[in-house]
Amino acid sequence: MDSRTVSRQRTEPDTPTAGMLKPNALGVLGILFFVLSAQAPLTGIAGAAPIAVALGNGPGVPAAYLVAGVVILLFSVGFVVMGRHVVDAGAFYTYIGKGLGRTTGTGSAGVALFAYCTVQAAMYGLYGSIVSGLVASHAGLDLPWWVWTLATMAVVQALGAAGIEMGAKVLAVFVLAEFSILSVFALVALVKGGGPEGLGFADSFSPGAALSGAPGVAVMFAVASMFGFEATAIYGEEAREPRKTVPRATYLSVVVVTGFFALTSWMLIASYGASRATAAAGKALAGGDGAGFVFAPIAAEFGGWVNDVLPVLLATSLFAGILTFHNSANRYLFSLGRDRLLPRGLCVLNRRHSPWGAGCVQTAVAVALVTPFALTGKDPVLTLFSWFSGVAVLAMMLLYLLTSVSVVAFFRRERLDARPWNTLIAPLFGALGIAGAIWLILANFTTLIGGERRTAVWLVVSVPVVMALGMLTAWVRRRALAVAHG
């Protein structure tokens, strides 16, 4: 391996080195659980599917998930081949910097941090609302949503400091619980032949179904549901045999998530019947209970107890996602501190070789993002969750696009891999698909955030502003170093 392209090399396979995260801590399944946690399967289905069905292409939503999966899979080809030559907790920041220059890479680091911190804050809003309702309903203790959010921040900080293995174990329990109940429902419905109109395969997967209604809205929500799979590369420095583990975890996560969302959404639609699903989703949204569109057929299949269990699993799903994004943001801050783009205090590791300094800063950022919504009495779901999740998806899609372009530029210059499909064709097709997704997101951004047009404009503008600030930071730092060295 060319040493010029490797950001961080391990000196010993089993011994942590100063300034390095703990090596050999995660295998394929450990990384997969982090990815699935970031995508929060139950949250994605219960939150996005009803809106996609009601406002998008109705029974054709499963096809939208397949389209989004193909686009992400094409992107993953270049993403994976880049990861074979660059192993660093900075992932996007490092990848983009290698191909498009350090200044652009630093700008992208700002966007990545922005994306991870805002999506985590968004999850805190929905999580606080759900937990507040659950506790009030079952324990009679009626406290504001932000009380539970702040308490959970302390728990997340503690788990993040406890080490990556502990985080993986906690996530495994939560992810398996939510993934299992949805998967069992989908498989049972499939074996039983669907609902009143059968499986309705053509109603969900034919070209006519995929292009009916507003397919752009459906694809937009499908792409948003894929958010988080790129975390595979973030944990490369802590993975066992990262050149093998990270590619396997990446491809496996994309295939599993795509198949899961496509199958589950298909069986939900089949449970209502293709001709009735759109109206049922619209009715649930109009009644302020979009999740009911998902919960009702599962309860009909397994019994009323599901209505008590699924809200709890929705809360644990969000908690798992929050912990995952805490760890992802930690590693970006750690990497930037190690590269001296941010204060060196971010590189402080505790005895478990976890980024303690970066974790404290990340938690402080989460408090800063959530506090204004709590102080002003804003609805945590309609504002904090909706606004920040939308802008996080937009920011992440920009990173996907820059990474695809960077892969092409890097391998045209370095010639480390001569395979045209991996280093040119797939990344270019992936870039085109992602560019199309960005266009759909921008065209439907007001719908995505459920807010006003003015709010949508401010949120959209914030992404290039963060990118510009990051690039300016890199330029100022480079000038300061030049002055210091005469």
Side-chain angles (χ1 to χ4, degrees):
M1 195 190 314
D2 190 332
S3 61
R4 292 174 302 168
T5 67
V6 180
S7 295
R8 293 288 177 268
Q9 295 278 8
R10 299 189 181 96
T11 57
E12 296 180 24
D14 299 309
T15 304
T17 305
M20 290 184 61
L21 299 168
K22 187 177 182 179
N24 300 319
L26 294 173
V28 173
L29 289 180
I31 297 175
L32 180 62
F33 281 127
F34 274 104
V35 172
L36 293 179
S37 299
Q39 283 156 343
L42 182 55
T43 305
I45 286 292
I51 303 174
V53 172
L55 303 181
N57 56 351
V61 164
Y65 282 112
L66 289 183
V67 170
V70 169
V71 171
I72 297 301
L73 196 60
L74 287 170
F75 165 81
S76 298
V77 174
F79 186 69
V80 162
V81 76
M82 193 71 159
R84 293 183 183 277
H85 299 278
V86 181
V87 179
D88 190 275
F92 282 131
Y93 145 63
T94 311
Y95 290 7
I96 294 170
K98 290 290 183 182
L100 302 181
R102 193 172 181 84
T103 299
T104 305
T106 305
S108 69
V111 175
L113 281 171
F114 183 61
Y116 287 130
C117 289
T118 51
V119 76
Q120 187 202 40
M123 286 182 154
Y124 270 128
L126 182 56
Y127 171 87
S129 176
I130 291 173
V131 171
S132 177
L134 286 172
V135 174
S137 174
H138 295 287
L141 182 60
D142 191 4
L143 294 175
W145 64 271
W146 52 265
V147 172
W148 303 108
T149 293
L150 291 176
T152 302
M153 287 180 183
V155 176
V156 168
Q157 171 67 24
L159 285 174
I164 198 69
E165 301 102 320
M166 177 61 72
K169 292 174 182 176
V170 171
L171 295 178
V173 174
F174 292 154
V175 170
L176 285 174
E178 61 178 302
F179 203 77
S180 296
I181 193 168
L182 291 173
S183 298
V184 170
F185 160 75
L187 291 174
V188 169
L190 180 64
V191 171
K192 292 177 68 173
E197 300 174 15
L199 291 174
F201 182 85
D203 293 318
S204 289
F205 293 103
S206 68
L211 296 174
S212 65
V217 174
V219 172
M220 175 187 68
F221 279 103
V223 169
S225 299
M226 300 288 177
F227 190 114
F229 85 94
E230 73 291 332
T232 54
I234 294 175
Y235 300 106
E237 193 172 312
E238 296 161 280
R240 292 188 289 271
E241 298 185 88
R243 295 187 68 193
K244 295 180 180 179
T245 303
V246 171
R248 290 171 184 171
T250 302
Y251 287 132
L252 183 60
S253 66
V254 174
V255 171
V256 168
V257 169
T258 300
F260 170 82
F261 279 115
L263 176 61
T264 304
S265 61
W266 177 27
M267 288 303 99
L268 285 171
I269 290 166
S271 296
Y272 286 97
S275 65
R276 307 173 187 173
T278 303
K283 183 179 179 180
L285 291 173
D289 183 23
F293 173 76
V294 175
F295 293 175
I298 299 177
E301 190 67 58
F302 298 137
W305 61 270
V306 168
N307 289 320
D308 294 323
V309 172
L310 284 177
V312 176
L313 290 180
L314 183 56
T316 59
S317 171
L318 287 162
F319 178 84
I322 287 167
L323 178 57
T324 296
F325 288 119
H326 173 80
N327 284 322
S328 297
N330 277 359
R331 278 143 185 82
Y332 264 94
L333 289 167
F334 171 84
S335 182
L336 290 169
R338 185 168 58 184
D339 290 344
R340 299 182 183 277
L341 291 169
L342 288 177
R344 292 284 289 176
L346 294 172
C347 299
V348 174
L349 300 173
N350 62 16
R351 286 181 294 181
R352 293 181 178 272
H353 240 64
S354 294
W356 168 256
C360 291
V361 170
Q362 201 286 316
T363 299
V365 170
V367 172
L369 289 174
V370 168
T371 297
F373 292 86
L375 292 177
T376 56
K378 296 287 187 182
D379 185 293
V381 178
L382 298 180
T383 57
L384 178 55
F385 176 72
S386 298
W387 296 357
F388 280 1
S389 59
V391 76
V393 170
L394 179 60
M396 190 55 66
M397 294 308 296
L398 174 61
L399 293 174
Y400 291 173
L401 179 62
L402 290 174
T403 300
S404 293
V405 175
S406 179
V407 169
V408 175
F410 177 77
F411 286 105
R412 298 284 72 74
R413 183 176 66 248
E414 297 295 339
R415 302 293 179 180
L416 295 169
D417 192 319
R419 295 173 295 174
W421 169 255
N422 297 71
T423 62
L424 178 62
I425 299 173
L428 284 179
F429 277 120
L432 289 174
I434 291 165
I438 291 175
W439 180 82
L440 289 174
I441 290 172
L442 291 174
N444 298 281
F445 196 73
T446 303
T447 301
L448 180 61
I449 67 167
E452 299 176 351
R453 184 173 181 81
R454 181 179 179 182
T455 302
V457 170
W458 278 108
L459 290 172
V460 168
V461 169
S462 69
V463 177
V465 167
V466 169
M467 180 80 181
L469 288 174
M471 296 177 71
L472 179 62
T473 299
W475 181 82
V476 170
R477 177 179 177 276
R478 190 169 60 248
R479 293 287 297 176
L481 288 174
V483 172
H485 289 89

